Amino acid sequence: MVFLPGWVEPLAGSLWEFDPVLGSFCAKAGALPCVAGLGPSQRRPSGSKAMAMTGVPYDCDVLVVGGGNAALCAAIAARRAGAAVLLLEAAPKALRGGNARHSRNMRVMHDAPTPWVRGRYPADDYLADLRRVAGNADDGLARLFVDASADIVDWLAGNGVRFQSCADEVLPYSRKTAFFLGGGKALVNALYATADGLGVAIRYDSTVRGLHLRDGAPAVTVGEPGVTVTARALVVASGGFQADSGWLRREWGEAADRFAIRGTPHATGIPLKALLDEGAEPVGAADRCHMVAVDGRAPPFDGGIVTRLDGIAHGIVVDRDGRRFADEGAVVGPSRYTAWGELVARCPGAVAISIFDAAIETRFRPSIFPAIRADSIGELARDLGISPPALEATVAGFNAAITGGGGTAGVDPPKTRLAEPITVPPFGAYPVRAGVTSTCLGVRVDERARVLRRDGAGLEGVYATGVVMAPNILGCGYLAGGAMTVGAVFGRIAGREAAAYALR
Ligand SMILES: Cc1cc2nc3c(=O)[nH]c(=O)nc-3n(C[C@H](O)[C@H](O)[C@H](O)COP(=O)(O)OP(=O)(O)OC[C@H]3O[C@@H](n4cnc5c(N)ncnc54)[C@H](O)[C@@H]3O)c2cc1C
């Protein structure tokens, strides 16, 4: 039996104690505190099947793998349903919370204005938006998801999350999304505080290395050397695999080496892969990511939303050979930045350059990194390390093709909107890279968030929420604010169902 120093102590707080006879960690009899909204413990008395397992150092009713929005919602829901819950977060405490730290809003259905969202966003509108981006995602699950989104703000608020009132007038107009007061980090901190207050046992720096689902009760191996934790039910909420550079390279080739990961470095997909190895049915696609255009100087991880390049539709975008490769005016609405991630990822060398002049530069929000500037296009090209004649020819050809109607004629690819000549020095440029939000491979779940095998049967006692199952709802598409709602809605379902299963 192996105990990791530092692993034992926090678990041995008020909720857990080491039983030297059984050789295992067990919840103290009656240890689950009674807190507001939570009834007395429904834990089985000692002598239950799992407690009798010898040689197993840790044991709980519901084990939650992950420490982001989805995991926290599941842990809180399971705990409120009376289960003894252990949450294992790979990240250290300072970086807990996964990508929710970077998020700011969630998409919710509502039939009348609320303090958090204006107007109405009826279920049919939400479903229509989902179908537009999600392709052939599961229709029944989508409807369940949309309906359940109606009270998720209230549920989160009841668990300590604060939302920004739209009466504050500091937010962009939105009838579809509610904004977290203080941003995603405040949401994460609030949910951790609630989980902790309810008595969820939380372990940081605890990477789950393996899942064992075959012999009745699920078990996981944690850390190195591996410690085994058994549970009556398991909720997997460990996000995608975008932070595993090897896996990303297998799907995208060498281009992956140029991607920036916009969020957590801990979403390496180990539990996702383990579920697939255990026979879970895959959904989505391994070679698709949700990506946006970011400044090429963004850090490799955790750059967050500030590294996004919002304004590149205003100028032109060229590849490393100085050639335009896409219609910069094709998407100019709020989701314009999302269109460019995959386009840049598929460029030679997976890099591109946004080019503009002093007049165009006044029309968009600048990057947080300074523009590279020069008094001529040739000089700019030299500074960027691309061929001056090639870039000069591209800019000259583009300028000559501009029509009076805001588009171009006779240049390939065309620019259909926002076409303005690039003539006013100093000329400016931003290097562009693909910034990955998350991968689009997940596991199939049913309406109870149970993980399904390829033959349609459920993996006994195993549930999933968040990015690890999001393609069931979002396909490989992007719906602003939708990802946080998936994690919260299915986290609440998974937690309740896992608790019911564990305590049955
Ligand atoms: C910059 C940025 C901005 C965003 N803005 C928004 C927004 O405004 N609205 C919106 O809806 N969505 C937004 N998103 C997406 C949203 O944040 C994510 O979809 C959501 O937070 C995913 O939650 P999750 O819990 O499923 O996964 P993640 O956030 O990826 O969390 C996974 C968790 O599991 C842990 N983990 C991973 N592997 C293991 C392991 N082996 N063992 C133990 N723990 C493990 C990780 O440490 C992490 O805590 C944004 C994302 C980014 C990057």
Side-chain angles (χ1 to χ4, degrees), residues 373-401:
R373 290 181 215 282
D375 287 330
S376 72
I377 292 292
E379 213 184 307
L380 187 66
R382 266 189 298 281
D383 291 347
L384 293 165
I386 60 180
S387 155
L391 187 60
E392 283 166 343
T394 296
V395 172
F398 173 77
N399 287 344

Side-chain angles (χ1 to χ4, degrees), residues 47-225:
S48 70
K49 186 178 67 176
M51 288 180 80
M53 295 167 89
T54 53
V56 180
Y58 304 104
D59 169 46
C60 58
D61 291 332
V62 175
L63 175 61
V64 178
V65 178
N69 169 56
L72 288 161
C73 291
I76 289 169
R79 182 74 193 107
R80 285 198 180 281
V85 181
L86 169 62
L87 179 146
L88 297 174
E89 159 65 304
K93 188 172 182 183
L95 292 177
R96 68 184 181 177
N99 287 346
R101 289 172 300 139
H102 298 292
S103 70
R104 55 185 195 150
N105 63 7
M106 66 196 309
R107 184 174 289 241
V108 290
M109 183 268 265
H110 56 109
D111 286 321
T114 76
W116 330 115
V117 267
R118 298 167 199 271
R120 300 172 63 231
Y121 187 38
D124 286 346
D125 290 11
Y126 201 147
L127 279 167
D129 286 343
L130 259 184
R131 288 193 188 109
R132 190 169 36 77
V133 302
N136 58 357
D138 187 304
D139 225 41
L141 278 186
R143 185 162 282 280
L144 176 151
F145 162 72
V146 167
D147 290 345
S149 76
D151 72 345
I152 203 69
V153 164
D154 291 344
W155 187 80
L156 286 166
N159 284 300
V161 178
R162 297 180 67 197
F163 287 82
Q164 186 141 6
S165 163
C166 34
D168 293 347
E169 300 287 342
V170 294
L171 294 170
Y173 177 86
S174 175
R175 76 179 175 96
K176 300 183 178 179
T177 54
F179 283 76
F180 315 127
L181 184 66
K185 205 159 207 167
L187 169 137
V188 164
N189 289 340
L191 292 179
Y192 268 103
T194 298
D196 189 41
L198 288 169
V200 172
I202 297 166
R203 287 299 305 152
Y204 301 106
D205 298 302
S206 298
T207 301
V208 168
R209 306 264 170 214
L211 305 185
H212 317 285
L213 310 178
R214 299 260 156 91
D215 308 318
V220 306
T221 313
V222 191
E224 288 176 43

Side-chain angles (χ1 to χ4, degrees), residues 297-431:
R297 296 158 290 183
F301 294 102
D302 271 333
I305 59 175
V306 292
T307 60
R308 205 170 77 189
L309 285 179
D310 277 350
I312 60 180
H314 288 270
I316 60 169
V317 183
V318 299
D319 63 18
R320 67 182 179 191
D321 298 321
R323 284 188 298 245
R324 290 180 57 246
F325 55 90
D327 174 4
E328 297 90 344
V331 186
V332 295
S335 62
R336 60 200 175 280
Y337 56 90
T338 63
W340 283 94
E342 198 157 334
L343 283 171
V344 173
R346 300 197 186 282
C347 272
V351 289
I353 302 138
S354 161
I355 307 275
F356 44 88
D357 71 4
I360 294 170
E361 194 175 357
T362 61
R363 313 216 196 294
F364 58 82
R365 196 161 51 89
S367 171
I368 53 160
F369 298 95
I372 298 159
R373 290 181 215 282
D375 287 330
S376 72
I377 292 292
E379 213 184 307
L380 187 66
R382 266 189 298 281
D383 291 347
L384 293 165
I386 60 180
S387 155
L391 187 60
E392 283 166 343
T394 296
V395 172
F398 173 77
N399 287 344
I402 292 174
T403 64
T408 60
V411 70
D412 186 31
K415 182 170 183 185
T416 48
R417 276 176 291 191
L418 304 178
E420 286 188 67
I422 299 170
T423 51
V424 185
F427 301 95
Y430 293 130

